[in-house]
Amino acid sequence: MNPSEWFSEVSDELWPGQCFSLKVKSVLHEERSKYQHIKVVQSESHGTVLILDGIIQCTERDEFAYQEMISFLPLCCHPDPQRVLIVGGGDGGVAREVAKHPSVTEVHQVEIDERVVELSKQYLPFMACGFDSPKLRLTIGDGFEYMKQHEGAFDVIITDSSDPIGPAESLFRESYFELVKRALKPNGIICSQGGSFWLDAGHVRETLDYCRKHFPRVTYGLAAVPSYPTGQIGFFIASLNPETNFTEPSRTFTDEEIDRMNLRYYTSDVHRAAFTLPRFATKALYP
């Protein structure tokens, strides 16, 4: 097999000693934007794949698992999520899911790299359809500056970031959680991509500790996404309401409602199960 026919996700910083590989049928697009290297490939087993700075962001085969969980976990922990902010998410997948929630009336999104949005519309229309929602207001710009200008404005803030290197590194620091707290309404909830405890439980715990300094209720939930390293991805979820019960959704959906919203991963039972961690992970993250 010619090695050039494969894409291997190699990162000695994030997952040393291992990698995930996909057989590539064709390279659809490749460029360096102002912020990062962008590559879109057609894979043999996972459909269209978006790769930023050498790291897989989403694949056509399993993207729905991540998009639904990072959206519906926080939305269904809030009693009435009407105004939602998405930071990042330039592929449109989170916007697609957030707009489905019947309580949501406004979706504000701020993405720093316009080229990710443009290329997603061209090559990932099954995700970029999220930008077509009449609920959505998209801003190309800096999420930090946007939140500074919108204090106390949102019921839920979802941070759909890449891994904690490069442009997304600042989204895992304590200062970021302080900033999102100020942009929330009373009893607001946040959710951020949280990495995997299989790779670096110390980093996950450190980020949870940053979050705990600003929120009275903090937890970590799980989703299974086969194309991500270890096959699992976590989410940091925090609430300004000290009475929030993360494990019991404030709104549940019938099977008919789930089908009508075209949810393929999230259910109320999956919501509850997302917060049940293996014993070793519980001990590492909640000592």
Side-chain angles (χ1 to χ4, degrees), residues 61-79:
R61 180 178 180 179
D62 60 16
E63 54 83 14
F64 65 90
Y66 173 84
Q67 317 298 341
E68 291 180 19
M69 291 295 276
I70 199 174
S71 302
F72 274 82
L73 284 179
L75 291 174
C76 291
C77 286
H78 194 286

Side-chain angles (χ1 to χ4, degrees), residues 69-248:
M69 291 295 276
I70 199 174
S71 302
F72 274 82
L73 284 179
L75 291 174
C76 291
C77 286
H78 194 286
D80 189 23
Q82 296 185 24
R83 205 162 188 251
V84 179
L85 172 65
I86 303 167
V87 179
D91 51 47
V94 174
R96 181 193 68 199
E97 299 305 323
V98 170
K100 293 177 181 178
H101 194 287
S103 295
V104 172
T105 58
E106 294 181 24
V107 185
H108 297 251
Q109 181 170 356
V110 55
E111 162 65 47
I112 198 168
D113 196 339
E114 186 173 20
R115 289 298 293 153
V116 174
V117 175
E118 293 170 345
L119 292 170
S120 295
K121 289 179 178 179
Q122 183 175 356
Y123 295 106
L124 304 165
F126 52 91
M127 298 177 68
C129 61
F131 296 123
D132 297 331
S133 170
K135 297 180 181 181
L136 183 75
R137 303 178 186 179
L138 176 64
T139 299
I140 302 300
D142 187 319
F144 277 71
E145 294 303 316
Y146 189 90
M147 284 188 285
K148 288 176 183 177
Q149 298 166 14
H150 292 80
E151 290 194 11
F154 303 104
D155 297 303
V156 173
I157 298 176
I158 298 171
T159 305
D160 178 20
S161 71
S162 53
D163 292 288
I165 58 173
E169 184 177 1
S170 60
L171 304 180
F172 293 81
R173 296 174 182 163
E174 181 186 346
S175 58
Y176 183 74
F177 294 108
E178 181 179 11
L179 181 61
V180 293
K181 176 183 178 180
R182 292 202 301 266
L184 286 173
K185 293 181 180 180
N187 298 324
I189 286 177
I190 67 166
C191 183
S192 301
Q193 189 266 101
S196 171
F197 54 72
W198 288 102
L199 291 169
D200 192 346
H203 172 72
V204 175
R205 178 181 167 184
E206 179 182 57
T207 309
L208 283 169
D209 288 342
Y210 290 153
C211 199
R212 290 186 187 109
K213 292 182 180 180
H214 300 284
F215 291 85
R217 292 283 289 145
V218 178
T219 192
Y220 178 88
L222 282 181
V225 187
S227 60
Y228 288 162
T230 78
Q232 288 187 326
I233 192 75
F235 309 101
F236 303 115
I237 307 176
S239 175
L240 290 176
N241 180 0
E243 303 303 317
T244 297
N245 180 359
F246 295 115
T247 59
E248 185 57 43

